[in-house]
Amino acid sequence: MSQTLAAVKGMNDLLPGEIEIWQHVEGLARELFGRFGYGEIRTPMVEDTALFVRSVGEETDIVGKEMYTFDDKGGRSLSLRPEGTAPAARAYIEHSILNQEPLTRWFYTGPMFRYERMKTGRYRQFYQVGAEAYGSKEPAQDVEVMDMVAQFLQALGLQDIALNLNSLGDEACRPAYHAKLVEYLKAHIEELCGDCHRRMETNPLRVLDCKNPKCQEVAGKGPNVLEFLCEPCKAHFDDVQRKLTALEIKYVVNPRMVRGLDYYTRTVFEFIASHPALGTASTVGGGGRYDKLVKSLGGPDVPAVGFACGLDRLVLLLKEGTRKFGASPDLFIAVADPGSQDTAFTLASKLRREGLRVDFDTRGGSLKSQMKRSDKSGARFTLVLGEQERTSGEAKLKRMADGSLIPVSLSGLAAAVREHSATEVAQRGNAT
């Protein structure tokens, strides 16, 4: 017997019944981000490996341990994208966008890939929605991005999500903090894991991002990055906080927070959910400023700020609620006898052309089994078509909510379904 094939571990199928939640989240993102003036981009899922080495950082876990990297038939090293910011920056440079507009706002959505230990809401093929803003170094741009995320999460109806905020400084003030951090870490080197011994030499900020509990404990008692900020960075961070307060966006300053990518400067932030469905994987979105990324990839010296939200985790949170997603059929057509099958099939096609969502079981079967399917589908109305209905051109529309019967003509069926659907919606609205 041949072995049954299954999806690759950590790469999941999205099926009807769940995909409607994904479509809702993605549709809401497109609508809301459009209000902020962000246009959608789509970049390839495969990029030159060097793009991520140069941007994300060679010493990060993403590049060192998690990327899906392979040589193609031409001997080029390619990688499935592990995140969306670097590909967007590459596209910004390649298409000379700066020459077309001084301020650029983009958003994207799609799958990313990392070979990592899986846990709740974290998979090897995972999905993100994110945005990037190029051309503005102002604190207002940082806050606009955070405001957009906050409004997005609020529009999804998610509760108990806290904004954590920090500043990592820049090339003027970060070296002094690095030196102090390394001095502190060397004094506690015996308490750190082997990976952090290496990180301490290559990029000490990575120690702060280690998931080892002992390393986290050591890092939590280390020097405070905010105490090392130069005046321009401090002024930038203070203005970010003032603007967040003006927008009534609550936040917590968390000086121990860093992001897992090397390109961040100054502002970094995370939106953290308090919900048992996520367990310890509580970050649903995050980002920050990366003013030197575009230049480091060979482009112009353009400041930028952006974010990404994990769609897998957002969908998990929405599944915990009671809200139903996706549109049910407007009408289910059942047949009372085999002779009505062709007429019902033709009628269903006609009504779909007129804009109705129509369910119809092409297998036929007993009327009882068809009515069970209608009930399961959630259809608002059911029409039973038999010889009498075909001959007279008249039928009865069954309202599934209460079982009442509404006389209709087959020629005016689409209009009748729309009329009675509108009446039903209006009645529900008045009741509430």
PDB file of all heavy atoms in Angstrom, residues 329 331-334 359 368-383 400:
ATOM      1  N   PRO A 329     -25.342  31.187   1.891  1.00  0.00           N
ATOM      2  CA  PRO A 329     -26.127  31.316   0.650  1.00  0.00           C
ATOM      3  C   PRO A 329     -27.392  32.140   0.862  1.00  0.00           C
ATOM      4  O   PRO A 329     -28.018  32.087   1.930  1.00  0.00           O
ATOM      5  CB  PRO A 329     -26.461  29.864   0.306  1.00  0.00           C
ATOM      6  CG  PRO A 329     -25.445  29.044   1.028  1.00  0.00           C
ATOM      7  CD  PRO A 329     -25.133  29.788   2.274  1.00  0.00           C
ATOM      8  N   LEU A 331     -29.909  31.560  -1.092  1.00  0.00           N
ATOM      9  CA  LEU A 331     -30.972  30.635  -1.463  1.00  0.00           C
ATOM     10  C   LEU A 331     -30.414  29.233  -1.679  1.00  0.00           C
ATOM     11  O   LEU A 331     -29.338  29.069  -2.252  1.00  0.00           O
ATOM     12  CB  LEU A 331     -31.633  31.114  -2.767  1.00  0.00           C
ATOM     13  CG  LEU A 331     -32.719  30.231  -3.383  1.00  0.00           C
ATOM     14  CD1 LEU A 331     -33.956  30.212  -2.494  1.00  0.00           C
ATOM     15  CD2 LEU A 331     -33.067  30.714  -4.787  1.00  0.00           C
ATOM     16  N   PHE A 332     -31.149  28.235  -1.223  1.00  0.00           N
ATOM     17  CA  PHE A 332     -30.855  26.841  -1.549  1.00  0.00           C
ATOM     18  C   PHE A 332     -32.007  26.329  -2.405  1.00  0.00           C
ATOM     19  O   PHE A 332     -33.179  26.475  -2.036  1.00  0.00           O
ATOM     20  CB  PHE A 332     -30.725  25.994  -0.287  1.00  0.00           C
ATOM     21  CG  PHE A 332     -30.304  24.574  -0.553  1.00  0.00           C
ATOM     22  CD1 PHE A 332     -28.974  24.194  -0.448  1.00  0.00           C
ATOM     23  CD2 PHE A 332     -31.244  23.606  -0.924  1.00  0.00           C
ATOM     24  CE1 PHE A 332     -28.576  22.889  -0.703  1.00  0.00           C
ATOM     25  CE2 PHE A 332     -30.857  22.303  -1.181  1.00  0.00           C
ATOM     26  CZ  PHE A 332     -29.517  21.942  -1.075  1.00  0.00           C
ATOM     27  N   ILE A 333     -31.696  25.729  -3.539  1.00  0.00           N
ATOM     28  CA  ILE A 333     -32.727  25.160  -4.409  1.00  0.00           C
ATOM     29  C   ILE A 333     -32.721  23.651  -4.257  1.00  0.00           C
ATOM     30  O   ILE A 333     -31.703  22.992  -4.487  1.00  0.00           O
ATOM     31  CB  ILE A 333     -32.486  25.535  -5.884  1.00  0.00           C
ATOM     32  CG1 ILE A 333     -32.541  27.054  -6.060  1.00  0.00           C
ATOM     33  CG2 ILE A 333     -33.538  24.867  -6.771  1.00  0.00           C
ATOM     34  CD1 ILE A 333     -32.268  27.509  -7.484  1.00  0.00           C
ATOM     35  N   ALA A 334     -33.858  23.099  -3.837  1.00  0.00           N
ATOM     36  CA  ALA A 334     -34.027  21.649  -3.705  1.00  0.00           C
ATOM     37  C   ALA A 334     -34.983  21.163  -4.782  1.00  0.00           C
ATOM     38  O   ALA A 334     -35.855  21.917  -5.244  1.00  0.00           O
ATOM     39  CB  ALA A 334     -34.566  21.307  -2.320  1.00  0.00           C
ATOM     40  N   ASP A 359     -26.980  27.884  -3.509  1.00  0.00           N
ATOM     41  CA  ASP A 359     -26.454  26.540  -3.297  1.00  0.00           C
ATOM     42  C   ASP A 359     -27.418  25.545  -3.923  1.00  0.00           C
ATOM     43  O   ASP A 359     -28.644  25.704  -3.840  1.00  0.00           O
ATOM     44  CB  ASP A 359     -26.302  26.270  -1.794  1.00  0.00           C
ATOM     45  CG  ASP A 359     -25.419  25.054  -1.526  1.00  0.00           C
ATOM     46  OD1 ASP A 359     -24.962  24.420  -2.494  1.00  0.00           O
ATOM     47  OD2 ASP A 359     -25.194  24.742  -0.342  1.00  0.00           O
ATOM     48  N   LYS A 368     -35.574  15.021   1.674  1.00  0.00           N
ATOM     49  CA  LYS A 368     -35.197  15.140   3.072  1.00  0.00           C
ATOM     50  C   LYS A 368     -33.696  15.437   3.208  1.00  0.00           C
ATOM     51  O   LYS A 368     -33.294  16.308   3.985  1.00  0.00           O
ATOM     52  CB  LYS A 368     -35.544  13.841   3.814  1.00  0.00           C
ATOM     53  CG  LYS A 368     -35.211  13.887   5.301  1.00  0.00           C
ATOM     54  CD  LYS A 368     -35.619  12.580   5.980  1.00  0.00           C
ATOM     55  CE  LYS A 368     -35.266  12.630   7.473  1.00  0.00           C
ATOM     56  NZ  LYS A 368     -35.655  11.358   8.149  1.00  0.00           N
ATOM     57  N   SER A 369     -32.881  14.721   2.447  1.00  0.00           N
ATOM     58  CA  SER A 369     -31.432  14.941   2.537  1.00  0.00           C
ATOM     59  C   SER A 369     -31.065  16.320   2.008  1.00  0.00           C
ATOM     60  O   SER A 369     -30.153  16.982   2.522  1.00  0.00           O
ATOM     61  CB  SER A 369     -30.683  13.854   1.762  1.00  0.00           C
ATOM     62  OG  SER A 369     -30.920  13.973   0.360  1.00  0.00           O
ATOM     63  N   GLN A 370     -31.785  16.785   0.972  1.00  0.00           N
ATOM     64  CA  GLN A 370     -31.517  18.123   0.449  1.00  0.00           C
ATOM     65  C   GLN A 370     -31.882  19.194   1.468  1.00  0.00           C
ATOM     66  O   GLN A 370     -31.168  20.193   1.611  1.00  0.00           O
ATOM     67  CB  GLN A 370     -32.298  18.342  -0.850  1.00  0.00           C
ATOM     68  CG  GLN A 370     -31.817  17.491  -2.020  1.00  0.00           C
ATOM     69  CD  GLN A 370     -32.686  17.703  -3.238  1.00  0.00           C
ATOM     70  OE1 GLN A 370     -32.601  18.746  -3.879  1.00  0.00           O
ATOM     71  NE2 GLN A 370     -33.513  16.714  -3.560  1.00  0.00           N
ATOM     72  N   MET A 371     -32.971  19.011   2.174  1.00  0.00           N
ATOM     73  CA  MET A 371     -33.384  20.000   3.181  1.00  0.00           C
ATOM     74  C   MET A 371     -32.389  20.029   4.343  1.00  0.00           C
ATOM     75  O   MET A 371     -32.134  21.087   4.933  1.00  0.00           O
ATOM     76  CB  MET A 371     -34.793  19.683   3.680  1.00  0.00           C
ATOM     77  CG  MET A 371     -35.875  19.833   2.609  1.00  0.00           C
ATOM     78  SD  MET A 371     -35.897  21.466   1.821  1.00  0.00           S
ATOM     79  CE  MET A 371     -36.489  22.477   3.186  1.00  0.00           C
ATOM     80  N   LYS A 372     -31.811  18.877   4.673  1.00  0.00           N
ATOM     81  CA  LYS A 372     -30.774  18.850   5.711  1.00  0.00           C
ATOM     82  C   LYS A 372     -29.551  19.653   5.255  1.00  0.00           C
ATOM     83  O   LYS A 372     -28.946  20.387   6.031  1.00  0.00           O
ATOM     84  CB  LYS A 372     -30.375  17.408   6.023  1.00  0.00           C
ATOM     85  CG  LYS A 372     -31.375  16.650   6.864  1.00  0.00           C
ATOM     86  CD  LYS A 372     -30.847  15.246   7.183  1.00  0.00           C
ATOM     87  CE  LYS A 372     -31.817  14.491   8.084  1.00  0.00           C
ATOM     88  NZ  LYS A 372     -31.324  13.121   8.401  1.00  0.00           N
ATOM     89  N   ARG A 373     -29.196  19.486   3.974  1.00  0.00           N
ATOM     90  CA  ARG A 373     -28.057  20.238   3.448  1.00  0.00           C
ATOM     91  C   ARG A 373     -28.349  21.730   3.454  1.00  0.00           C
ATOM     92  O   ARG A 373     -27.486  22.549   3.759  1.00  0.00           O
ATOM     93  CB  ARG A 373     -27.721  19.762   2.036  1.00  0.00           C
ATOM     94  CG  ARG A 373     -26.540  20.519   1.429  1.00  0.00           C
ATOM     95  CD  ARG A 373     -26.220  20.057   0.017  1.00  0.00           C
ATOM     96  NE  ARG A 373     -25.177  20.902  -0.563  1.00  0.00           N
ATOM     97  CZ  ARG A 373     -23.882  20.661  -0.482  1.00  0.00           C
ATOM     98  NH1 ARG A 373     -23.456  19.578   0.150  1.00  0.00           N
ATOM     99  NH2 ARG A 373     -23.009  21.485  -1.031  1.00  0.00           N
ATOM    100  N   SER A 374     -29.575  22.099   3.108  1.00  0.00           N
ATOM    101  CA  SER A 374     -29.962  23.511   3.126  1.00  0.00           C
ATOM    102  C   SER A 374     -29.819  24.098   4.522  1.00  0.00           C
ATOM    103  O   SER A 374     -29.275  25.194   4.705  1.00  0.00           O
ATOM    104  CB  SER A 374     -31.404  23.664   2.641  1.00  0.00           C
ATOM    105  OG  SER A 374     -31.820  25.010   2.774  1.00  0.00           O
ATOM    106  N   ASP A 375     -30.287  23.358   5.499  1.00  0.00           N
ATOM    107  CA  ASP A 375     -30.204  23.835   6.883  1.00  0.00           C
ATOM    108  C   ASP A 375     -28.750  23.975   7.319  1.00  0.00           C
ATOM    109  O   ASP A 375     -28.369  24.961   7.965  1.00  0.00           O
ATOM    110  CB  ASP A 375     -30.956  22.860   7.801  1.00  0.00           C
ATOM    111  CG  ASP A 375     -31.125  23.407   9.205  1.00  0.00           C
ATOM    112  OD1 ASP A 375     -31.639  24.530   9.349  1.00  0.00           O
ATOM    113  OD2 ASP A 375     -30.724  22.718  10.154  1.00  0.00           O
ATOM    114  N   LYS A 376     -27.929  23.002   6.949  1.00  0.00           N
ATOM    115  CA  LYS A 376     -26.513  23.032   7.319  1.00  0.00           C
ATOM    116  C   LYS A 376     -25.769  24.172   6.624  1.00  0.00           C
ATOM    117  O   LYS A 376     -24.835  24.765   7.197  1.00  0.00           O
ATOM    118  CB  LYS A 376     -25.860  21.696   6.974  1.00  0.00           C
ATOM    119  CG  LYS A 376     -24.409  21.581   7.407  1.00  0.00           C
ATOM    120  CD  LYS A 376     -23.837  20.212   7.074  1.00  0.00           C
ATOM    121  CE  LYS A 376     -22.389  20.098   7.517  1.00  0.00           C
ATOM    122  NZ  LYS A 376     -21.817  18.765   7.172  1.00  0.00           N
ATOM    123  N   SER A 377     -26.187  24.514   5.419  1.00  0.00           N
ATOM    124  CA  SER A 377     -25.496  25.566   4.666  1.00  0.00           C
ATOM    125  C   SER A 377     -25.717  26.954   5.255  1.00  0.00           C
ATOM    126  O   SER A 377     -24.964  27.884   4.962  1.00  0.00           O
ATOM    127  CB  SER A 377     -25.966  25.554   3.206  1.00  0.00           C
ATOM    128  OG  SER A 377     -27.268  26.123   3.091  1.00  0.00           O
ATOM    129  N   GLY A 378     -26.784  27.099   6.059  1.00  0.00           N
ATOM    130  CA  GLY A 378     -27.099  28.420   6.604  1.00  0.00           C
ATOM    131  C   GLY A 378     -27.827  29.308   5.624  1.00  0.00           C
ATOM    132  O   GLY A 378     -27.891  30.535   5.816  1.00  0.00           O
ATOM    133  N   ALA A 379     -28.365  28.728   4.576  1.00  0.00           N
ATOM    134  CA  ALA A 379     -29.086  29.519   3.572  1.00  0.00           C
ATOM    135  C   ALA A 379     -30.233  30.286   4.215  1.00  0.00           C
ATOM    136  O   ALA A 379     -30.921  29.778   5.104  1.00  0.00           O
ATOM    137  CB  ALA A 379     -29.609  28.615   2.469  1.00  0.00           C
ATOM    138  N   ARG A 380     -30.444  31.508   3.737  1.00  0.00           N
ATOM    139  CA  ARG A 380     -31.517  32.334   4.288  1.00  0.00           C
ATOM    140  C   ARG A 380     -32.893  31.829   3.831  1.00  0.00           C
ATOM    141  O   ARG A 380     -33.858  31.854   4.578  1.00  0.00           O
ATOM    142  CB  ARG A 380     -31.307  33.780   3.841  1.00  0.00           C
ATOM    143  CG  ARG A 380     -32.304  34.764   4.418  1.00  0.00           C
ATOM    144  CD  ARG A 380     -31.867  36.183   4.138  1.00  0.00           C
ATOM    145  NE  ARG A 380     -30.702  36.503   4.955  1.00  0.00           N
ATOM    146  CZ  ARG A 380     -29.828  37.458   4.668  1.00  0.00           C
ATOM    147  NH1 ARG A 380     -29.964  38.168   3.576  1.00  0.00           N
ATOM    148  NH2 ARG A 380     -28.809  37.700   5.462  1.00  0.00           N
ATOM    149  N   PHE A 381     -32.978  31.366   2.576  1.00  0.00           N
ATOM    150  CA  PHE A 381     -34.237  30.864   2.034  1.00  0.00           C
ATOM    151  C   PHE A 381     -33.996  29.541   1.311  1.00  0.00           C
ATOM    152  O   PHE A 381     -32.894  29.281   0.826  1.00  0.00           O
ATOM    153  CB  PHE A 381     -34.845  31.860   1.033  1.00  0.00           C
ATOM    154  CG  PHE A 381     -35.174  33.203   1.624  1.00  0.00           C
ATOM    155  CD1 PHE A 381     -34.299  34.270   1.479  1.00  0.00           C
ATOM    156  CD2 PHE A 381     -36.352  33.393   2.319  1.00  0.00           C
ATOM    157  CE1 PHE A 381     -34.596  35.504   2.012  1.00  0.00           C
ATOM    158  CE2 PHE A 381     -36.657  34.626   2.873  1.00  0.00           C
ATOM    159  CZ  PHE A 381     -35.775  35.693   2.721  1.00  0.00           C
ATOM    160  N   THR A 382     -35.062  28.735   1.222  1.00  0.00           N
ATOM    161  CA  THR A 382     -35.023  27.501   0.435  1.00  0.00           C
ATOM    162  C   THR A 382     -36.221  27.485  -0.492  1.00  0.00           C
ATOM    163  O   THR A 382     -37.330  27.875  -0.097  1.00  0.00           O
ATOM    164  CB  THR A 382     -35.046  26.263   1.347  1.00  0.00           C
ATOM    165  OG1 THR A 382     -33.879  26.253   2.163  1.00  0.00           O
ATOM    166  CG2 THR A 382     -35.091  24.979   0.526  1.00  0.00           C
ATOM    167  N   LEU A 383     -35.981  27.053  -1.709  1.00  0.00           N
ATOM    168  CA  LEU A 383     -37.071  26.888  -2.673  1.00  0.00           C
ATOM    169  C   LEU A 383     -37.092  25.446  -3.132  1.00  0.00           C
ATOM    170  O   LEU A 383     -36.056  24.914  -3.556  1.00  0.00           O
ATOM    171  CB  LEU A 383     -36.866  27.825  -3.867  1.00  0.00           C
ATOM    172  CG  LEU A 383     -37.963  27.744  -4.934  1.00  0.00           C
ATOM    173  CD1 LEU A 383     -38.439  29.135  -5.321  1.00  0.00           C
ATOM    174  CD2 LEU A 383     -37.453  27.002  -6.170  1.00  0.00           C
ATOM    175  N   MET A 400     -35.910  30.268   6.270  1.00  0.00           N
ATOM    176  CA  MET A 400     -35.361  29.243   7.144  1.00  0.00           C
ATOM    177  C   MET A 400     -35.339  29.663   8.610  1.00  0.00           C
ATOM    178  O   MET A 400     -35.311  28.809   9.503  1.00  0.00           O
ATOM    179  CB  MET A 400     -33.947  28.877   6.686  1.00  0.00           C
ATOM    180  CG  MET A 400     -33.892  28.300   5.263  1.00  0.00           C
ATOM    181  SD  MET A 400     -34.902  26.817   5.067  1.00  0.00           S
ATOM    182  CE  MET A 400     -33.930  25.635   6.015  1.00  0.00           C
TER     183      MET A 400
END
